[in-house]
Amino acid sequence: MQEPKIAPSLLAADFARLGEQVLEVAKAGADRLHMDIMDGMFVPNISFGPLVLQSVSKVTTLPLETHLMIHEPDRYLEDFAKAGASSLIVHAEGAIHLHRTLERIRSLGLKVGVAINPATPVSVLEPIIDMTDLVLIMTVNPGFGGQKFLERTISKIADVRKRIDQLGLNTELEVDGGIDPKTAPHAVAAGANVLVAGSAVFGSPHGIFRAVEMLKRPVGGSQ
Ligand code: DX5
Ligand code: ZN
């Protein structure tokens, strides 16, 4: 099985030492950074906006994958593009004119991602999956880090993997929420090839370096 790509979520980082933490995950072998944008409307929590993205983009060359958990994301696509996002992931539940939103992201020259919540069926992806570079299956309900992985999302991961392969797409399949060295192998076995992890990286008792390694190679990386 191919080694998954690792996208540490900065939501779990120490914001007072953000620059240092970014350098640390980069050195540990992170493939990209996952930026969780929350507006207090689409999800109950508020995180950070384009200014933080812009600062982070100055200290790293890692791609900034930007997960927009915001109501009517169209209003902010350009702002995040200007701030240095490499890809924009919008929720199928939050983008009413999803097809148009995806076209706009593409026209900004960014990679196109679509996320679905645990209670959203994979069928919503069918009309637009061929427009995407990445599909994100939420493995918790979005809004907070440190939640428990929802086992029932495994079958959705497998369904989307099957569809991507059937269509011969290069679309990446990402999982987000409750990913740690125990849950990661299940998500990868079901077909995920990009793992987002917040607490399992920045809150790991083994330290950031080892934490990234344990997610990439969970078999050899027993605790
Ligand atoms: C949740 C966010 C996640 C979060 C993951 O709404 O989308 O990216 O940071 O955190 P962990 O890995 O701690 O579940
Ligand atoms: Zn996220």
Side-chain angles (χ1 to χ4, degrees), residues 17-73:
R17 299 192 299 117
L18 198 51
E20 280 169 51
Q21 299 241 284
V22 166
L23 296 181
E24 220 174 321
V25 285
K27 214 166 134 193
D31 297 280
R32 61 186 77 170
L33 297 175
H34 184 84
M35 314 294 283
D36 283 306
I37 314 300
M38 304 178 177
D39 67 349
M41 288 264 288
F42 182 72
V43 288
N45 203 2
I46 296 178
S47 60
F48 54 83
L51 281 179
V52 171
L53 220 82
Q54 204 175 22
S55 301
V56 170
S57 74
K58 288 182 187 147
V59 298
T60 185
T61 54
L62 284 180
L64 304 183
E65 162 182 289
T66 306
H67 179 190
L68 297 175
M69 286 163 276
I70 61 179
H71 182 62
E72 293 180 8

Short mmCIF file of all heavy atoms in Angstrom, two decimals, residues 17-73:
data_model
loop_
_atom_site.label_atom_id
_atom_site.label_comp_id
_atom_site.label_asym_id
_atom_site.label_seq_id
_atom_site.Cartn_x
_atom_site.Cartn_y
_atom_site.Cartn_z
N ARG A 17 3.52 30.24 18.93
CA ARG A 17 4.79 29.79 18.33
C ARG A 17 4.52 29.21 16.93
O ARG A 17 5.11 28.21 16.53
CB ARG A 17 5.43 28.70 19.20
CG ARG A 17 5.78 29.13 20.61
CD ARG A 17 6.67 28.10 21.30
NE ARG A 17 6.04 26.80 21.41
CZ ARG A 17 6.50 25.68 20.83
NH1 ARG A 17 7.59 25.69 20.10
NH2 ARG A 17 5.85 24.54 20.99
N LEU A 18 3.60 29.84 16.22
CA LEU A 18 3.12 29.26 14.97
C LEU A 18 4.25 29.02 13.96
O LEU A 18 4.34 27.95 13.36
CB LEU A 18 2.04 30.17 14.38
CG LEU A 18 1.13 29.55 13.33
CD1 LEU A 18 0.54 28.24 13.82
CD2 LEU A 18 0.01 30.52 12.96
N GLY A 19 5.10 30.02 13.77
CA GLY A 19 6.20 29.89 12.81
C GLY A 19 7.08 28.69 13.12
O GLY A 19 7.38 27.87 12.25
N GLU A 20 7.48 28.58 14.38
CA GLU A 20 8.33 27.45 14.81
C GLU A 20 7.65 26.12 14.55
O GLU A 20 8.27 25.16 14.08
CB GLU A 20 8.56 27.49 16.33
CG GLU A 20 9.62 28.44 16.82
CD GLU A 20 9.52 28.55 18.34
OE1 GLU A 20 9.49 27.50 19.02
OE2 GLU A 20 9.43 29.69 18.83
N GLN A 21 6.36 26.06 14.88
CA GLN A 21 5.64 24.80 14.72
C GLN A 21 5.52 24.41 13.25
O GLN A 21 5.60 23.23 12.91
CB GLN A 21 4.26 24.91 15.38
CG GLN A 21 4.36 25.20 16.88
CD GLN A 21 3.74 24.12 17.72
OE1 GLN A 21 2.52 24.03 17.82
NE2 GLN A 21 4.56 23.30 18.34
N VAL A 22 5.36 25.39 12.40
CA VAL A 22 5.30 25.13 10.96
C VAL A 22 6.63 24.54 10.48
O VAL A 22 6.67 23.54 9.77
CB VAL A 22 4.96 26.42 10.17
CG1 VAL A 22 5.23 26.27 8.68
CG2 VAL A 22 3.50 26.82 10.41
N LEU A 23 7.72 25.15 10.93
CA LEU A 23 9.04 24.64 10.52
C LEU A 23 9.26 23.23 11.03
O LEU A 23 9.82 22.37 10.35
CB LEU A 23 10.15 25.56 11.04
CG LEU A 23 10.13 27.00 10.49
CD1 LEU A 23 11.29 27.82 11.06
CD2 LEU A 23 10.18 27.00 8.97
N GLU A 24 8.76 22.99 12.23
CA GLU A 24 8.94 21.67 12.83
C GLU A 24 8.19 20.57 12.04
O GLU A 24 8.74 19.51 11.77
CB GLU A 24 8.43 21.70 14.28
CG GLU A 24 9.31 20.92 15.22
CD GLU A 24 8.87 21.10 16.67
OE1 GLU A 24 8.49 22.22 17.04
OE2 GLU A 24 8.90 20.11 17.42
N VAL A 25 6.94 20.83 11.67
CA VAL A 25 6.21 19.80 10.91
C VAL A 25 6.81 19.62 9.52
O VAL A 25 6.82 18.52 8.98
CB VAL A 25 4.68 20.02 10.79
CG1 VAL A 25 3.96 19.71 12.07
CG2 VAL A 25 4.32 21.38 10.26
N ALA A 26 7.31 20.72 8.96
CA ALA A 26 7.94 20.61 7.63
C ALA A 26 9.16 19.69 7.72
O ALA A 26 9.34 18.80 6.89
CB ALA A 26 8.34 22.00 7.14
N LYS A 27 9.95 19.90 8.75
CA LYS A 27 11.15 19.09 8.94
C LYS A 27 10.79 17.63 9.22
O LYS A 27 11.51 16.70 8.83
CB LYS A 27 11.92 19.66 10.14
CG LYS A 27 13.41 19.55 10.02
CD LYS A 27 14.08 20.42 11.06
CE LYS A 27 15.20 19.66 11.74
NZ LYS A 27 15.67 20.33 12.95
N ALA A 28 9.67 17.44 9.85
CA ALA A 28 9.23 16.08 10.20
C ALA A 28 8.71 15.31 8.98
O ALA A 28 8.45 14.12 9.06
CB ALA A 28 8.14 16.15 11.27
N GLY A 29 8.53 16.02 7.86
CA GLY A 29 8.10 15.31 6.64
C GLY A 29 6.65 15.53 6.25
O GLY A 29 6.11 14.78 5.42
N ALA A 30 6.03 16.56 6.81
CA ALA A 30 4.65 16.87 6.39
C ALA A 30 4.66 17.22 4.90
O ALA A 30 5.60 17.83 4.41
CB ALA A 30 4.10 18.04 7.20
N ASP A 31 3.61 16.80 4.20
CA ASP A 31 3.56 17.03 2.76
C ASP A 31 2.89 18.35 2.42
O ASP A 31 3.09 18.90 1.34
CB ASP A 31 2.79 15.89 2.09
CG ASP A 31 3.52 14.57 2.29
OD1 ASP A 31 4.48 14.33 1.55
OD2 ASP A 31 3.17 13.81 3.22
N ARG A 32 2.02 18.82 3.31
CA ARG A 32 1.32 20.09 3.11
C ARG A 32 0.79 20.53 4.47
O ARG A 32 0.83 19.74 5.42
CB ARG A 32 0.17 19.91 2.11
CG ARG A 32 -0.87 18.92 2.58
CD ARG A 32 -1.93 18.61 1.55
NE ARG A 32 -1.43 17.71 0.52
CZ ARG A 32 -2.19 17.13 -0.41
NH1 ARG A 32 -3.47 17.37 -0.45
NH2 ARG A 32 -1.68 16.31 -1.29
N LEU A 33 0.28 21.76 4.54
CA LEU A 33 -0.33 22.20 5.79
C LEU A 33 -1.83 22.34 5.58
O LEU A 33 -2.27 22.81 4.53
CB LEU A 33 0.26 23.55 6.22
CG LEU A 33 1.75 23.55 6.54
CD1 LEU A 33 2.22 24.97 6.83
CD2 LEU A 33 2.05 22.64 7.73
N HIS A 34 -2.58 21.94 6.59
CA HIS A 34 -4.03 22.01 6.50
C HIS A 34 -4.51 23.20 7.36
O HIS A 34 -4.26 23.25 8.56
CB HIS A 34 -4.62 20.69 7.02
CG HIS A 34 -6.10 20.57 6.91
ND1 HIS A 34 -6.74 20.16 5.75
CD2 HIS A 34 -7.09 20.79 7.81
CE1 HIS A 34 -8.04 20.13 5.95
NE2 HIS A 34 -8.28 20.52 7.19
N MET A 35 -5.15 24.15 6.70
CA MET A 35 -5.57 25.38 7.37
C MET A 35 -7.09 25.33 7.56
O MET A 35 -7.85 25.33 6.57
CB MET A 35 -5.20 26.59 6.51
CG MET A 35 -3.78 26.57 5.94
SD MET A 35 -2.51 26.68 7.19
CE MET A 35 -2.59 28.41 7.58
N ASP A 36 -7.53 25.29 8.81
CA ASP A 36 -8.97 25.17 9.10
C ASP A 36 -9.59 26.54 9.34
O ASP A 36 -9.31 27.18 10.35
CB ASP A 36 -9.16 24.30 10.35
CG ASP A 36 -8.98 22.83 10.03
OD1 ASP A 36 -9.66 22.34 9.12
OD2 ASP A 36 -8.15 22.18 10.69
N ILE A 37 -10.43 26.96 8.42
CA ILE A 37 -11.05 28.28 8.51
C ILE A 37 -12.50 28.12 8.99
O ILE A 37 -13.31 27.48 8.32
CB ILE A 37 -11.04 28.99 7.13
CG1 ILE A 37 -9.66 28.87 6.45
CG2 ILE A 37 -11.49 30.44 7.28
CD1 ILE A 37 -8.51 29.48 7.21
N MET A 38 -12.80 28.68 10.16
CA MET A 38 -14.13 28.52 10.76
C MET A 38 -14.73 29.89 11.07
O MET A 38 -14.04 30.75 11.60
CB MET A 38 -14.01 27.73 12.05
CG MET A 38 -13.36 26.38 11.88
SD MET A 38 -13.20 25.55 13.47
CE MET A 38 -12.51 23.99 12.94
N ASP A 39 -16.02 30.04 10.74
CA ASP A 39 -16.63 31.37 10.81
C ASP A 39 -17.66 31.56 11.91
O ASP A 39 -18.32 32.60 11.99
CB ASP A 39 -17.28 31.70 9.46
CG ASP A 39 -18.49 30.80 9.17
OD1 ASP A 39 -18.70 29.80 9.89
OD2 ASP A 39 -19.22 31.10 8.21
N GLY A 40 -17.88 30.54 12.75
CA GLY A 40 -18.89 30.68 13.80
C GLY A 40 -20.32 30.60 13.27
O GLY A 40 -21.27 30.84 14.02
N MET A 41 -20.48 30.28 11.99
CA MET A 41 -21.81 30.16 11.39
C MET A 41 -22.00 28.77 10.80
O MET A 41 -22.88 28.03 11.21
CB MET A 41 -21.96 31.17 10.24
CG MET A 41 -22.08 32.58 10.65
SD MET A 41 -23.80 33.08 10.74
CE MET A 41 -24.27 33.16 9.02
N PHE A 42 -21.13 28.43 9.85
CA PHE A 42 -21.20 27.10 9.25
C PHE A 42 -20.85 26.04 10.30
O PHE A 42 -21.40 24.94 10.31
CB PHE A 42 -20.25 27.00 8.05
CG PHE A 42 -20.31 25.66 7.36
CD1 PHE A 42 -21.42 25.31 6.60
CD2 PHE A 42 -19.29 24.74 7.50
CE1 PHE A 42 -21.49 24.07 5.99
CE2 PHE A 42 -19.36 23.49 6.90
CZ PHE A 42 -20.46 23.16 6.14
N VAL A 43 -19.91 26.40 11.16
CA VAL A 43 -19.57 25.57 12.33
C VAL A 43 -19.60 26.48 13.55
O VAL A 43 -19.46 27.70 13.42
CB VAL A 43 -18.16 24.92 12.18
CG1 VAL A 43 -18.16 23.82 11.13
CG2 VAL A 43 -17.09 25.95 11.85
N PRO A 44 -19.77 25.90 14.75
CA PRO A 44 -19.92 26.77 15.93
C PRO A 44 -18.65 27.51 16.34
O PRO A 44 -18.72 28.49 17.08
CB PRO A 44 -20.32 25.79 17.05
CG PRO A 44 -20.38 24.43 16.46
CD PRO A 44 -19.95 24.48 15.05
N ASN A 45 -17.52 27.08 15.86
CA ASN A 45 -16.24 27.62 16.32
C ASN A 45 -15.72 28.72 15.38
O ASN A 45 -16.09 28.77 14.22
CB ASN A 45 -15.25 26.46 16.37
CG ASN A 45 -14.10 26.69 17.31
OD1 ASN A 45 -14.03 27.71 18.00
ND2 ASN A 45 -13.18 25.75 17.35
N ILE A 46 -14.84 29.56 15.90
CA ILE A 46 -14.16 30.56 15.08
C ILE A 46 -12.67 30.28 15.15
O ILE A 46 -12.14 30.04 16.24
CB ILE A 46 -14.45 31.98 15.61
CG1 ILE A 46 -15.95 32.30 15.49
CG2 ILE A 46 -13.62 33.03 14.84
CD1 ILE A 46 -16.34 33.66 16.03
N SER A 47 -11.98 30.27 14.00
CA SER A 47 -10.54 29.99 14.06
C SER A 47 -9.74 31.20 13.60
O SER A 47 -9.51 32.13 14.39
CB SER A 47 -10.18 28.73 13.28
OG SER A 47 -10.54 28.87 11.92
N PHE A 48 -9.33 31.23 12.36
CA PHE A 48 -8.51 32.34 11.87
C PHE A 48 -8.82 32.58 10.40
O PHE A 48 -9.53 31.79 9.77
CB PHE A 48 -7.01 32.04 12.07
CG PHE A 48 -6.56 30.73 11.49
CD1 PHE A 48 -6.24 30.62 10.14
CD2 PHE A 48 -6.46 29.59 12.29
CE1 PHE A 48 -5.83 29.42 9.60
CE2 PHE A 48 -6.05 28.36 11.76
CZ PHE A 48 -5.74 28.29 10.41
N GLY A 49 -8.30 33.67 9.86
CA GLY A 49 -8.62 34.04 8.49
C GLY A 49 -7.38 34.23 7.62
O GLY A 49 -6.29 33.74 7.95
N PRO A 50 -7.54 34.98 6.52
CA PRO A 50 -6.46 35.13 5.54
C PRO A 50 -5.17 35.73 6.10
O PRO A 50 -4.09 35.38 5.60
CB PRO A 50 -7.06 36.08 4.49
CG PRO A 50 -8.50 36.10 4.73
CD PRO A 50 -8.77 35.67 6.12
N LEU A 51 -5.26 36.57 7.11
CA LEU A 51 -4.03 37.19 7.64
C LEU A 51 -3.06 36.15 8.18
O LEU A 51 -1.85 36.25 7.99
CB LEU A 51 -4.37 38.18 8.77
CG LEU A 51 -4.87 39.55 8.33
CD1 LEU A 51 -5.18 40.41 9.55
CD2 LEU A 51 -3.82 40.23 7.44
N VAL A 52 -3.61 35.17 8.87
CA VAL A 52 -2.75 34.11 9.43
C VAL A 52 -2.15 33.29 8.29
O VAL A 52 -0.97 32.95 8.30
CB VAL A 52 -3.54 33.22 10.43
CG1 VAL A 52 -2.73 32.00 10.83
CG2 VAL A 52 -3.94 34.03 11.66
N LEU A 53 -2.98 33.03 7.29
CA LEU A 53 -2.49 32.27 6.13
C LEU A 53 -1.30 32.99 5.47
O LEU A 53 -0.29 32.38 5.13
CB LEU A 53 -3.62 32.17 5.11
CG LEU A 53 -3.76 30.83 4.43
CD1 LEU A 53 -4.52 29.89 5.31
CD2 LEU A 53 -4.47 30.98 3.09
N GLN A 54 -1.47 34.28 5.33
CA GLN A 54 -0.43 35.10 4.69
C GLN A 54 0.88 35.02 5.48
O GLN A 54 1.95 34.86 4.90
CB GLN A 54 -0.91 36.54 4.67
CG GLN A 54 -0.28 37.37 3.61
CD GLN A 54 -0.91 38.76 3.59
OE1 GLN A 54 -1.48 39.22 4.58
NE2 GLN A 54 -0.81 39.43 2.47
N SER A 55 0.77 35.09 6.81
CA SER A 55 1.98 35.00 7.65
C SER A 55 2.64 33.64 7.50
O SER A 55 3.86 33.53 7.39
CB SER A 55 1.64 35.22 9.12
OG SER A 55 1.06 36.46 9.29
N VAL A 56 1.81 32.59 7.52
CA VAL A 56 2.37 31.24 7.41
C VAL A 56 3.04 31.05 6.05
O VAL A 56 4.11 30.45 5.95
CB VAL A 56 1.26 30.17 7.64
CG1 VAL A 56 1.76 28.79 7.29
CG2 VAL A 56 0.77 30.21 9.09
N SER A 57 2.43 31.61 5.01
CA SER A 57 3.00 31.43 3.66
C SER A 57 4.39 32.04 3.56
O SER A 57 5.18 31.67 2.69
CB SER A 57 2.07 32.01 2.60
OG SER A 57 2.13 33.41 2.62
N LYS A 58 4.70 32.97 4.45
CA LYS A 58 6.03 33.61 4.39
C LYS A 58 7.13 32.75 5.02
O LYS A 58 8.30 32.97 4.77
CB LYS A 58 5.98 34.96 5.10
CG LYS A 58 5.22 35.99 4.29
CD LYS A 58 5.22 37.35 4.96
CE LYS A 58 4.30 38.27 4.19
NZ LYS A 58 3.63 39.25 5.05
N VAL A 59 6.73 31.78 5.85
CA VAL A 59 7.77 30.99 6.52
C VAL A 59 7.92 29.57 5.98
O VAL A 59 8.73 28.80 6.48
CB VAL A 59 7.54 30.93 8.06
CG1 VAL A 59 7.61 32.31 8.66
CG2 VAL A 59 6.23 30.23 8.40
N THR A 60 7.10 29.21 4.98
CA THR A 60 7.21 27.84 4.47
C THR A 60 6.92 27.77 2.97
O THR A 60 6.22 28.64 2.43
CB THR A 60 6.23 26.89 5.21
OG1 THR A 60 6.44 25.56 4.75
CG2 THR A 60 4.78 27.28 4.97
N THR A 61 7.48 26.74 2.34
CA THR A 61 7.14 26.50 0.93
C THR A 61 6.13 25.36 0.82
O THR A 61 5.73 24.99 -0.29
CB THR A 61 8.41 26.12 0.13
OG1 THR A 61 9.03 25.02 0.78
CG2 THR A 61 9.39 27.28 0.05
N LEU A 62 5.73 24.80 1.93
CA LEU A 62 4.73 23.72 1.87
C LEU A 62 3.41 24.29 1.34
O LEU A 62 3.04 25.42 1.66
CB LEU A 62 4.46 23.16 3.28
CG LEU A 62 5.51 22.23 3.89
CD1 LEU A 62 5.06 21.79 5.29
CD2 LEU A 62 5.73 21.01 3.01
N PRO A 63 2.71 23.49 0.53
CA PRO A 63 1.40 23.95 0.05
C PRO A 63 0.44 24.20 1.23
O PRO A 63 0.44 23.44 2.20
CB PRO A 63 0.90 22.77 -0.79
CG PRO A 63 2.10 21.94 -1.11
CD PRO A 63 3.07 22.16 0.01
N LEU A 64 -0.35 25.26 1.11
CA LEU A 64 -1.33 25.57 2.15
C LEU A 64 -2.72 25.15 1.66
O LEU A 64 -3.35 25.84 0.86
CB LEU A 64 -1.33 27.06 2.48
CG LEU A 64 0.01 27.67 2.91
CD1 LEU A 64 -0.15 29.13 3.29
CD2 LEU A 64 0.60 26.87 4.08
N GLU A 65 -3.13 24.01 2.16
CA GLU A 65 -4.44 23.47 1.79
C GLU A 65 -5.45 24.11 2.74
O GLU A 65 -5.32 23.99 3.95
CB GLU A 65 -4.36 21.95 1.98
CG GLU A 65 -5.66 21.25 2.07
CD GLU A 65 -5.44 19.78 2.31
OE1 GLU A 65 -4.98 19.09 1.39
OE2 GLU A 65 -5.71 19.32 3.44
N THR A 66 -6.45 24.77 2.15
CA THR A 66 -7.32 25.61 2.98
C THR A 66 -8.75 25.06 3.02
O THR A 66 -9.43 25.03 1.98
CB THR A 66 -7.26 27.06 2.47
OG1 THR A 66 -5.87 27.44 2.43
CG2 THR A 66 -8.01 28.00 3.38
N HIS A 67 -9.16 24.64 4.20
CA HIS A 67 -10.45 23.99 4.41
C HIS A 67 -11.44 25.03 4.90
O HIS A 67 -11.37 25.47 6.05
CB HIS A 67 -10.23 22.85 5.44
CG HIS A 67 -11.46 22.09 5.80
ND1 HIS A 67 -11.49 21.20 6.85
CD2 HIS A 67 -12.70 22.06 5.26
CE1 HIS A 67 -12.69 20.65 6.94
NE2 HIS A 67 -13.45 21.16 5.99
N LEU A 68 -12.33 25.45 4.00
CA LEU A 68 -13.25 26.54 4.32
C LEU A 68 -14.52 26.00 4.97
O LEU A 68 -15.41 25.49 4.28
CB LEU A 68 -13.59 27.31 3.04
CG LEU A 68 -12.43 28.01 2.34
CD1 LEU A 68 -12.89 28.64 1.03
CD2 LEU A 68 -11.79 29.05 3.24
N MET A 69 -14.60 26.14 6.28
CA MET A 69 -15.83 25.76 6.99
C MET A 69 -16.59 27.05 7.25
O MET A 69 -16.71 27.51 8.39
CB MET A 69 -15.46 25.03 8.29
CG MET A 69 -14.98 23.62 8.04
SD MET A 69 -14.11 22.93 9.45
CE MET A 69 -12.49 23.60 9.16
N ILE A 70 -17.00 27.65 6.14
CA ILE A 70 -17.68 28.94 6.25
C ILE A 70 -18.92 28.96 5.37
O ILE A 70 -19.01 28.28 4.36
CB ILE A 70 -16.73 30.11 5.88
CG1 ILE A 70 -16.23 30.02 4.43
CG2 ILE A 70 -15.53 30.17 6.80
CD1 ILE A 70 -15.32 31.17 4.04
N HIS A 71 -19.87 29.76 5.84
CA HIS A 71 -21.12 29.97 5.15
C HIS A 71 -20.85 30.80 3.89
O HIS A 71 -20.11 31.78 3.95
CB HIS A 71 -22.01 30.73 6.14
CG HIS A 71 -23.37 31.03 5.66
ND1 HIS A 71 -24.26 30.04 5.32
CD2 HIS A 71 -24.00 32.20 5.45
CE1 HIS A 71 -25.39 30.60 4.94
NE2 HIS A 71 -25.26 31.90 5.01
N GLU A 72 -21.45 30.42 2.76
CA GLU A 72 -21.25 31.12 1.48
C GLU A 72 -19.77 31.39 1.19
O GLU A 72 -19.32 32.55 1.18
CB GLU A 72 -22.05 32.44 1.46
CG GLU A 72 -23.54 32.22 1.46
CD GLU A 72 -24.33 33.53 1.43
OE1 GLU A 72 -23.72 34.59 1.26
OE2 GLU A 72 -25.55 33.45 1.58
N PRO A 73 -19.01 30.34 0.96
CA PRO A 73 -17.56 30.49 0.79
C PRO A 73 -17.16 31.38 -0.40
O PRO A 73 -16.08 31.94 -0.41
CB PRO A 73 -17.07 29.05 0.58
CG PRO A 73 -18.29 28.28 0.17
CD PRO A 73 -19.44 28.95 0.83
#
